[in-house]
Amino acid sequence: MVLLAADRVAVEAVYEPADCGAEVTENAAGRVPVTVVAHGFTGSARRPHVRRAAAAFRRHGAVITFSFRGHGASGGRSTVGDREVLDLAAAVAWARRLGHRTVWTVGFSMGGSVVLRHAALYRAGTPDAHGPAHTDAVVAVSAPARWYYRGTAAMRRLHWVVTRPLGRAVGRYGLRTRIHTSDWDPVPLDPAEAAARIGPVPLLLVHGDRDPYFPLDHPRALAAAAGEAAELWLEPGMGHAENAAAEELLDRIARWTARHAPAG
């Protein structure tokens, strides 16, 4: 399926019904919930680690995966977390047009920052070109708390890929990610500021204590900003994002959303 974001960028999206025979939790209206998965930078809807996460979430309901702009078969160029919020809004609105009344967003790394901003910007009742695009629960895994962070070697390498012409060539041909050449203007809402605006929508923050990109001050800052709306899981031995998310963790995330999301 090809969706159009509000700025007319084509977004590759895949819908998968709940796994047959799985323990699916229907909401009060008898509707099956859907998880919308937002991948990390250089990922896509068809990358193996995203497919693995989708398979885990399908045991609890339907799943929508999609490729952010500049990734996979989607059009446009990556803005590394800025206009990607429009891609996520298109995917969530599609889930609601398909009849799902309970929609959860789960984002990894860059996708984690996007689900935070999306939940802050798209509230229930907010007009959108595609229809209602709000989420009923948010899970941000390995997300940054602030922009322009360069405190780790991994993030210094990422900034080189994003900001330098040679780095963007490496991104395009080596990482299969097409990156926009323009700086942010204006700078998007800071992830911690977004977290502060999400409540009363339930928010789960998940972060590994061996994350090579963002140390533990990032999830703690997000949790402090969100206050009582957030629950924080610090996972011993976990690295970064989709690649580091164990099957058991993905299952726990799905069960958390089933307990905390309202019944549509």
Side-chain angles (χ1 to χ4, degrees):
M1 178 69 177
V2 176
L3 308 175
L4 282 181
D7 59 355
R8 309 297 292 176
V9 170
V11 176
E12 170 193 29
V14 180
Y15 175 84
E16 297 172 278
D19 192 3
C20 293
E23 255 184 69
V24 177
T25 304
E26 294 184 348
N27 64 26
R31 303 293 183 108
V32 173
V34 61
T35 302
V36 180
V37 180
H39 63 76
F41 184 62
T42 75
S44 78
R46 303 187 187 277
R47 288 287 178 93
H49 48 270
V50 177
R51 302 302 333 133
R52 182 174 62 85
F57 294 141
R58 282 187 67 205
R59 295 195 288 267
H60 300 268
V63 174
I64 288 176
T65 51
F66 67 97
S67 299
F68 281 122
R69 61 189 59 206
H71 296 73
S74 291
R77 295 186 180 185
S78 173
T79 62
V80 199
D82 179 12
R83 299 190 71 80
E84 282 76 6
V85 72
L86 303 178
D87 308 340
L88 177 58
V92 172
W94 183 39
R96 296 198 181 279
R97 291 199 302 274
L98 290 172
H100 293 282
R101 301 213 182 157
T102 303
V103 181
W104 311 322
T105 54
V106 180
F108 298 89
S109 191
M110 180 189 78
S113 70
V114 174
V115 299
L116 292 171
R117 289 182 51 241
H118 169 266
L121 297 172
Y122 290 80
R123 315 290 292 188
T126 301
D128 184 74
H130 305 291
H134 62 283
T135 184
D136 299 303
V138 187
V139 182
V141 183
S142 304
R146 54 192 181 276
W147 303 132
Y148 303 113
Y149 177 72
R150 290 179 171 84
T152 58
M155 283 305 295
R156 289 190 289 274
R157 288 193 298 271
L158 187 145
H159 277 87
W160 178 82
V161 168
V162 170
T163 61
R164 301 297 180 89
L166 179 57
R168 290 192 291 269
V170 170
R172 184 181 187 92
Y173 298 108
L175 302 174
R176 292 179 287 176
T177 302
R178 305 172 306 279
I179 304 166
H180 208 288
T181 59
S182 300
D183 294 335
W184 286 339
D185 184 21
V187 175
L189 184 68
D190 187 87
E193 294 179 53
R197 302 183 189 184
I198 288 176
V201 174
L203 168 63
L204 174 61
L205 302 165
V206 181
H207 212 93
D209 66 358
R210 294 187 182 178
D211 191 313
Y213 287 83
F214 305 114
L216 293 180
D217 62 305
H218 284 260
R220 287 170 176 153
L222 291 172
E228 294 182 358
E231 185 172 332
L232 173 61
W233 295 354
L234 298 179
E235 297 295 308
M238 179 184 168
H240 186 70
E242 303 101 312
N243 286 327
E247 292 288 325
E248 180 273 335
L249 173 60
L250 296 170
D251 185 69
R252 270 195 288 134
I253 288 171
R255 293 184 184 280
W256 182 92
T257 53
R259 290 195 308 270
H260 289 81

